[in-house]
Amino acid sequence: MPVNKATDSAPSPRRHSGQYAGKAATTRRRERKSKLLAAGIALIGDQGFNATSIDAVCARAGLTKRYFYEAFDSRESLLIEAFRAVSTELLQAISQAALPYLGDSRQLVHQGLRATYAFVAAEPAKVRLMFIEALSLRGQLGRSYVESLDGFVQLLLSLTRPFLPPGAASEAELKVMARGAIGAIMHLCQGWIASDFRQPAEELIAGSERLFAGAGRELGIHPEPRA
C-alpha cells in the first residue's frame, strides 16, 4: 500500500501536553477571553449594553457562543469585567502621567488632567462605557462600580496628602472633596463626548485646573511636598 508522505510525515499540531499549534490550553483560553472582552468593550461603548447581544460579541470576536460561556457566565459578567478593565486602564494612565511630578503640586494636577482628557479623546468607546453606560447600569455592575470610584478617590487622595498642611481637613471631608472633584471631571468628559469633542482639550484642562486650584487654596496646599 503506498504511503502518503505529506500526511505521514507532517507533525500533528496537537500535543499530549494540552498544546495546540505551540500554545497551551490556558494561553488559548486567555487569548479567546481577551478577544471577547475587547469586542464587548467596543460594542457596549458604541451602542450601549442593552443593544449588545452575546451573538454580536461573538461575531465581532470571531468566536462561538461555546467560547463566550467558557469565559463569562452572562452578559452581565462581561459588562463587569469590561468596566473593571477600562477603569483600571484609565487609573494606570493617570498614575503613570503623574509619577514624574510628585514633587510639584501644580504639575501633578496638570499632567493628571492632561492624561485623563487624552485618554477620553483616544478611547471614546471605553469612556462611554465607563462614564455614560456605567451610570445607568450601576445595578448590574454592583460593587464593581463602587470599587472603581473608590480607586480614583484613593489615587487622588494619595497624590494630594503630601502637599497638605497638618489639620487641613478630616479624612471624611477629604473623601467628599475627592468624590466631588472626580464627579465634576466625569461630567465634563460626558459632555465632551456628547458634543463630539467640539471644545478644545486645552480649554477643558485649563478650566479643570482652576477647579482643583480652588480646592487647593481652601486646603492650604503647598506647591511642594511637606518635609
Side-chain angles (χ1 to χ4, degrees):
M1 181 176 180
V3 176
N4 185 334
K5 292 183 179 179
T7 301
D8 289 356
S9 62
S12 169
R14 293 187 179 275
R15 299 287 183 269
H16 293 299
S17 62
Q19 289 194 337
Y20 183 87
K23 291 183 179 180
T26 53
T27 300
R28 299 198 308 276
R29 282 197 298 271
R30 187 167 57 249
E31 289 177 350
R32 289 193 294 264
K33 184 172 183 177
S34 179
K35 286 182 180 179
L36 289 162
L37 186 60
I41 289 169
L43 288 171
I44 296 169
D46 287 340
Q47 62 189 30
F49 178 68
N50 291 331
T52 299
S53 67
I54 291 175
D55 286 333
V57 172
C58 291
R60 186 170 183 123
L63 296 166
T64 66
K65 278 188 176 180
R66 167 195 166 191
Y67 292 122
F68 181 92
Y69 287 109
E70 173 190 75
F72 304 102
D73 294 332
S74 62
R75 276 197 324 145
E76 287 72 22
S77 64
L78 168 65
L79 171 67
I80 290 168
E81 291 212 34
F83 178 72
R84 284 175 178 163
V86 296
S87 299
T88 299
E89 191 175 345
L90 176 55
L91 200 62
Q92 289 175 344
I94 297 170
S95 298
Q96 290 171 4
L99 192 59
Y101 303 97
L102 298 179
D104 184 332
S105 62
R106 290 191 182 122
Q107 275 298 313
L108 198 57
V109 170
H110 178 79
Q111 297 300 331
L113 289 168
R114 182 171 292 282
T116 299
Y117 291 116
F119 185 91
V120 172
E123 304 284 0
K126 293 179 180 179
V127 178
R128 285 191 190 98
L129 188 158
M130 184 168 41
F131 287 165
I132 296 175
E133 281 296 297
L135 290 178
S136 61
L137 297 169
R138 282 175 285 191
Q140 286 97 322
L141 287 167
R143 179 147 188 84
S144 294
Y145 184 87
V146 177
E147 289 173 349
S148 174
L149 182 59
D150 284 347
F152 286 99
V153 168
Q154 292 305 320
L155 175 62
L156 182 54
L157 292 178
S158 68
L159 295 174
T160 301
R161 285 191 185 98
F163 300 95
L164 288 172
S170 68
E171 187 68 12
E173 290 170 333
L174 289 173
K175 285 184 178 179
V176 169
M177 294 179 75
R179 289 194 190 98
I182 291 164
I185 299 303
M186 287 174 62
H187 182 73
L188 288 170
C189 290
Q190 290 165 353
W192 200 33
I193 293 170
S195 70
D196 198 23
F197 308 103
R198 189 175 301 121
Q199 188 171 16
E202 293 301 327
E203 291 181 5
L204 286 165
I205 293 168
S208 301
E209 282 184 289
R210 287 182 177 272
L211 286 174
F212 279 88
R217 285 192 295 272
E218 174 67 24
L219 292 169
I221 283 179
H222 295 282
E224 298 177 355
R226 290 180 288 110

